[in-house]
């Protein structure tokens, strides 16, 4: 027997947390009956599980993909405004979903998989997987602002955890600064909000690494399968 939300996640429907939401919203049926309880267990070999009327089947073949996401693509399986999504860039037979998000105007490293347990473990705050970004800012950033970013800064209703910040370049002619910022968190538009909080406007944002997995050798718009040791390193 297996919990319904875990079965859905392992079948590539969504992350386990999202699957819990889908169950509560009445979008999942077991043997034709709508289920809206998170404690429900099913027998995968016997019970028929459907999501939005479509049969859900467990994946035998787990895949893990690294994409160097271009600007202009949204990080979702389907978009209500019919914009291009990251799944338009990847042609595989398996049903995959993104692990976390990058906003439409941010490029760089994004992992997609059909392994619900992997998504749950990698996105859980306790794992503290680092994300490294290259940030291009308008104007010259002052050392005082850099220190504030390093120590943690208040944005909206929370204070960010200390970040690693390195100045890569200050271009006086073009009136811009370029930083490398590494964080453990992954709140919505966090890097942009951090920079805005110290008075700097983000001109370009690129996620160069997730943990130690980078996209330096991967052209924008291209993807590759993660190696076994890369998957294991992320789960450590």
């Amino acid at each position: 027997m297996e919990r319904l939300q875990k079965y859905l996640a392992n079948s590539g429907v969504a992350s386990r947390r999202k699957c819990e939401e889908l169950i509560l919203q009445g979008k999942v049926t077991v043997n034709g009956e709508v289920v809206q309880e998170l404690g429900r267990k099913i027998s995968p070999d016997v019970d028929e599980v459907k999501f939005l009327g479509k049969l859900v089947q467990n994946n035998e073949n787990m895949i893990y993909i690294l994409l160097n996401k271009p600007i202009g693509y949204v990080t979702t399986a389907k978009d209500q405004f019919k914009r291009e999504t990251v799944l338009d860039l990847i042609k595989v037979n398996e049903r995959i979903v993104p692990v976390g998000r990058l906003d439409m105007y941010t490029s760089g490293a994004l992992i997609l998989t059909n392994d619900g347990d992997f998504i749950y473990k990698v996105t859980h705050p306790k794992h503290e997987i680092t994300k490294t970004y290259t940030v291009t800012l308008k104007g010259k950033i002052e050392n005082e602002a850099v220190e504030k970013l390093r120590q943690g800064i208040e944005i909206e209703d929370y204070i960010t955890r200390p970040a690693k910040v390195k100045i890569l370049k200050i271009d006086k002619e073009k009136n811009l600064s370029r930083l490398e910022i590494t964080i453990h968190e992954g709140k919505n538009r966090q890097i942009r909000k951090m920079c805005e909080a110290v008075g700097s406007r983000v001109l370009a944002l690129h996620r160069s690494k997730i943990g130690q997995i980078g996209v330096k050798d991967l052209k924008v718009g291209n993807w590759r399968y993660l190696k076994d040791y890369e998957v294991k390193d992320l789960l450590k």
Side-chain angles (χ1 to χ4, degrees), residues 108-160:
L110 180 70
I111 294 173
L112 301 98
T113 184
N114 58 353
D115 185 343
D117 268 349
F118 175 86
I119 296 172
Y120 178 76
K121 290 172 183 175
V122 168
T123 56
H124 198 287
K126 75 176 182 180
H127 285 273
E128 295 192 339
I129 294 172
T130 59
K131 276 83 72 175
T132 302
Y133 297 82
T134 302
V135 193
T136 304
L137 303 170
K138 178 76 172 176
K140 178 187 175 183
I141 190 164
E142 302 296 331
N143 288 332
E144 182 182 352
V146 171
E147 277 306 311
K148 287 181 179 178
L149 293 173
R150 285 174 177 156
Q151 293 171 12
I153 189 164
E154 185 173 354
I155 53 176
E156 296 179 345
D157 59 346
Y158 67 96
I159 297 175
T160 62

Side-chain angles (χ1 to χ4, degrees), residues 61-117:
N61 182 32
M62 297 297 186
I63 63 170
Y64 311 87
I65 286 171
L66 176 68
L67 169 70
N68 191 348
K69 175 192 170 296
I71 292 170
Y73 286 78
V74 293
T75 308
T76 184
K78 287 184 180 180
D79 182 63
Q80 59 179 324
F81 303 111
K82 296 186 178 179
R83 294 172 295 186
E84 291 181 299
T85 80
V86 291
L87 294 185
D88 293 323
L89 298 166
I90 302 171
K91 304 302 179 187
V92 293
N93 293 326
E94 294 82 359
R95 179 177 180 172
I96 56 175
V97 293
V99 181
R101 286 180 176 269
L102 284 180
D103 69 52
M104 183 174 179
Y105 301 106
T106 300
S107 62
L110 180 70
I111 294 173
L112 301 98
T113 184
N114 58 353
D115 185 343
D117 268 349

